[in-house]
Amino acid sequence: VLHHTQFIKRMIDDGMLRLSFTRKNISYHTPCELGRGSGIYSEPKEILRYVGRLRKNHFEDENGLCCGGSLGNMKISYSDKVLIATDAVAHLTEGDPDILATSCPLCKKTFASVTSTPVADIAEIVADAIVKPVSSKLIGESAKGRRASAIV
């Protein structure tokens, strides 16, 4: 089983996915479970370097900040979760990045509720940066030059 960032990175490395460089400044949040829980640190950041200017922050990898929205801790009150999220976002958005990136849907939802900085999953950032194929080769083109409806 692969996390989607590992799969996307593999597709980039294998030449199956071409991305444009967006020139956007991106701050990356390392999700707790992905990082400390699964040991996945490099792939998300490597992907983001393909599509934008990844900004270093003081809370990367093992030092990543909790988003406050964890379902694993039901004892934290809603107001405390908001405080945790607000504090994390304040650190992660220092320098006013164009995007706050994460690779966890719960972190995305939690952060989006406490910041005006756009928050996006890496998969969404990649989808926006995909270079569309220029080829107009048609499937099933006949010898007479008739065109089929499917394009590859």
Side-chain angles (χ1 to χ4, degrees):
V1 175
L2 296 173
H3 185 262
H4 70 275
T5 57
Q6 294 174 304
F7 180 70
I8 291 168
K9 177 70 169 75
R10 186 177 291 178
M11 288 180 65
I12 293 168
D13 290 345
D14 291 346
M16 298 172 58
L17 187 60
R18 289 188 36 212
L19 304 173
S20 62
F21 188 76
T22 66
R23 302 191 190 290
K24 292 184 179 179
N25 290 312
I26 303 170
S27 179
Y28 175 63
H29 166 255
T30 305
C32 298
E33 289 302 320
L34 184 65
R36 291 186 296 274
S38 299
I40 299 171
Y41 296 110
S42 62
E43 290 92 338
K45 293 185 289 187
E46 289 172 22
I47 293 167
L48 292 172
R49 285 187 195 102
Y50 277 101
V51 297
R53 295 180 177 110
L54 181 62
R55 303 175 63 146
K56 279 196 76 65
N57 67 65
H58 301 291
F59 300 98
E60 294 181 350
D61 300 340
E62 295 88 3
N63 297 318
L65 297 170
C66 176
C67 73
S70 172
L71 295 175
N73 190 343
M74 303 304 279
K75 294 185 179 192
I76 297 176
S77 70
Y78 176 77
S79 60
D80 286 343
K81 288 181 179 190
V82 169
L83 287 173
I84 293 168
T86 302
D87 183 59
V89 163
H91 290 292
L92 294 168
T93 59
E94 286 178 0
D96 198 29
D98 298 310
I99 301 171
L100 173 55
T102 189
S103 44
C104 168
L106 188 55
C107 296
K108 177 187 170 189
K109 179 180 176 183
T110 303
F111 286 149
S113 69
V114 297
T115 184
S116 59
T117 301
V119 182
D121 187 279
I122 290 177
E124 295 171 307
I125 296 168
V126 166
D128 288 342
I130 291 175
V131 174
K132 308 294 187 275
V134 181
S135 172
S136 61
K137 175 183 170 190
L138 299 171
I139 296 174
E141 188 170 323
S142 72
K144 295 181 182 180
R146 292 187 194 155
R147 295 185 167 206
S149 60
I151 299 177
V152 285

